[in-house]
Amino acid sequence: MFQQRALPEEIESYSLAAAELENGTLKLVRLLTLLGFAETNSEARRSIRQGAVKLNGMKLEEQAVEVTPQDGDIIQLGKRRFARLNLM
């Protein structure tokens, strides 16, 4: 699976409260910490700088980017950490 760069069959779902969104958007750094992919904002920024973060298969390299999460979006950190977003 990892050699073919395919998504795993089972991806853990994470619920994201609408209260976390500001005008329907959320800073990428904050999203990574909410998902538990990074313990600190600095760790999240470092991962973004290194090109380790993808949203629906698209690499995100801007630290200050704000994303508009949609139900079912897939966040990837590195090669083996995935999360499917469920908006509440």
Side-chain angles (χ1 to χ4, degrees):
M1 166 181 58
F2 295 115
Q3 290 177 342
Q4 292 89 22
R5 296 185 182 186
L7 293 175
E9 291 179 20
E10 292 194 20
I11 297 175
E12 192 170 347
S13 292
Y14 289 87
S15 296
L16 185 63
E20 293 291 342
L21 303 178
E22 187 174 313
N23 295 326
T25 64
L26 183 65
K27 291 189 182 216
L28 181 58
V29 171
R30 177 77 177 134
L31 179 60
L32 293 176
T33 55
L34 285 173
L35 294 174
F37 281 2
E39 290 186 24
T40 64
N41 288 342
S42 295
E43 185 180 345
R45 284 188 200 97
R46 192 170 23 258
S47 295
I48 296 166
R49 249 192 332 263
Q50 293 172 352
V53 180
K54 291 183 181 180
L55 174 63
N56 295 325
M58 293 182 55
K59 189 181 287 191
L60 301 173
E61 296 177 342
E62 277 293 319
Q63 296 175 31
V65 73
E66 291 197 9
V67 295
T68 306
Q70 303 292 319
D71 210 32
D73 279 353
I74 297 176
I75 304 288
Q76 179 180 352
L77 178 69
K79 292 182 179 181
R80 299 175 188 242
R81 295 185 74 186
F82 294 87
R84 177 171 280 127
L85 298 180
N86 291 325
L87 299 180
M88 298 178 10

